[in-house]
Amino acid sequence: MAPHSIMSSRTFFVGGNWKMNGDKKSLGDLITTLNTASLHDETEVVCGAPTVYLDFARSNLDARIGVAAQNCYKVAKGAFTGEISPAMIKDCGVEWVILGHSERRHVFGESDELIGQKVAHALESDLGVIACIGEKLEEREAGTTEEVVYAQTQAIADNVKDWSKVVLAYEPVWAIGTGKTASPEQAQEVHEKLREWIRANVSEAVADSVRIIYGGSVTGANCKELGSQNDVDGFLVGGASLKPEFVDIINARA
Ligand code: PGA
């Protein structure tokens, strides 16, 4: 697999989301572990680094491992104190950005509309986008999971012209950082419905080719069963991506 390539077929995709964790010492150790590990060569791996460590991560990670920013703004430059643009991310040699993560939505109040605008600009800037969607516990309990994830996906889809650069991450909010993983059946059910939604609302070809990855308390212990589901094309991993266990998750399909 070519380094840094953004795959358009359903190559298994494992993203790590380091969130606001680590320092040069601990991330450097993790990077050494990843660089020296034996990684399944049919799995695409991307690490989401904190903004200040994007350059550090890209400079130190082996070229076979991609790097993602965890957020970016919707325009190229200007008076937007504290924000970063896709152009800056690309300037650091970084190929991906995570957008619409539930922490951006629910801690920082990002709307579907803003996330859509960010997706459009990131894609125009030639970044790959890991676009996140997912329902809250009360929404699942109220039986509105499908309605919620379809609406979030619509706001993203409205802004995508080239789906080969998009990975869709289904991350039920109740499973993120809680140790409560969706069961393989629960994950498969939503992934399958999302793929059918894409078939009906985008195209047959995109439904067949887009990677839909699962996130929410993925671990070395549960990754094989989750990853064996038909419509689960990989993972977005938070807590466990900071541990050597991340290697086992990358190798879930090995
Ligand atoms: P978690 O986070 O693996 O710690 O649950 C997943 C995510 O937020 O992407």
Side-chain angles (χ1 to χ4, degrees):
M1 191 167 70
H4 297 185
S5 68
I6 289 169
M7 309 301 288
S8 57
S9 64
R10 278 168 64 187
T11 301
F12 205 67
F13 183 104
V14 177
N17 180 4
W18 296 345
K19 307 193 181 184
M20 197 177 75
N21 292 300
D23 50 26
K24 283 190 184 171
K25 170 76 179 77
S26 64
L27 296 177
D29 289 347
L30 179 64
I31 287 168
T32 302
T33 300
L34 293 172
N35 286 348
T36 53
S38 153
L39 306 181
H40 187 223
D41 60 7
E42 282 163 41
T43 294
E44 185 171 6
V45 183
V46 172
C47 292
T51 304
V52 288
Y53 298 133
L54 282 172
D55 215 350
F56 173 77
R58 185 59 289 162
S59 307
N60 289 288
L61 272 168
D62 198 277
R64 68 192 167 141
I65 299 170
V67 177
Q70 299 173 9
N71 185 29
C72 66
Y73 199 49
K74 61 178 178 177
V75 294
K77 63 184 167 98
F80 302 103
T81 303
E83 294 292 326
I84 62 165
S85 72
M88 293 168 177
I89 294 168
K90 290 214 67 168
D91 195 34
C92 293
V94 168
E95 316 82 5
W96 290 91
V97 63
I98 300 169
L99 290 172
H101 189 277
S102 72
E103 286 142 25
R104 298 304 318 171
R105 291 176 186 272
H106 304 305
V107 181
F108 299 100
E110 291 192 9
S111 65
D112 273 348
E113 188 192 4
L114 177 60
I115 293 160
Q117 291 166 333
K118 289 181 173 194
V119 167
H121 182 60
L123 290 171
E124 276 160 21
S125 310
D126 207 30
L127 277 180
V129 172
I130 303 168
C132 307
I133 57 168
E135 83 287 1
K136 297 194 222 170
L137 183 60
E138 60 264 34
E139 293 164 336
R140 175 163 281 260
E141 286 174 349
T144 59
T145 297
E146 284 165 55
E147 196 180 307
V148 169
V149 298
Y150 293 162
Q152 291 171 340
T153 307
Q154 180 79 64
I156 291 162
D158 287 344
N159 290 284
V160 177
K161 293 192 191 102
D162 178 4
W163 281 88
S164 71
K165 305 194 70 138
V166 178
V167 171
L168 199 58
Y170 169 59
E171 300 204 299
V173 180
W174 48 271
I176 294 180
T178 58
K180 258 193 239 165
T181 320
S183 68
E185 295 73 27
Q186 283 173 321
Q188 169 58 24
E189 186 188 6
V190 177
H191 284 226
E192 189 177 350
K193 284 182 174 156
L194 274 168
R195 201 177 302 284
E196 288 321 304
W197 185 92
I198 292 166
R199 198 174 304 284
N201 294 280
V202 181
S203 77
E204 192 82 23
V206 171
D208 290 335
S209 61
V210 72
R211 272 111 27 114
I212 306 178
I213 63 175
Y214 168 80
S217 300
V218 176
T219 64
N222 61 29
C223 65
K224 277 200 191 301
E225 215 187 334
L226 281 163
S228 68
Q229 304 301 306
N230 270 346
D231 290 289
V232 176
D233 303 315
F235 307 115
L236 187 55
V237 185
S241 73
L242 292 158
K243 303 176 191 162
E245 175 185 357
F246 189 48
V247 172
D248 301 327
I249 300 174
I250 292 168
N251 291 333
R253 282 247 182 117

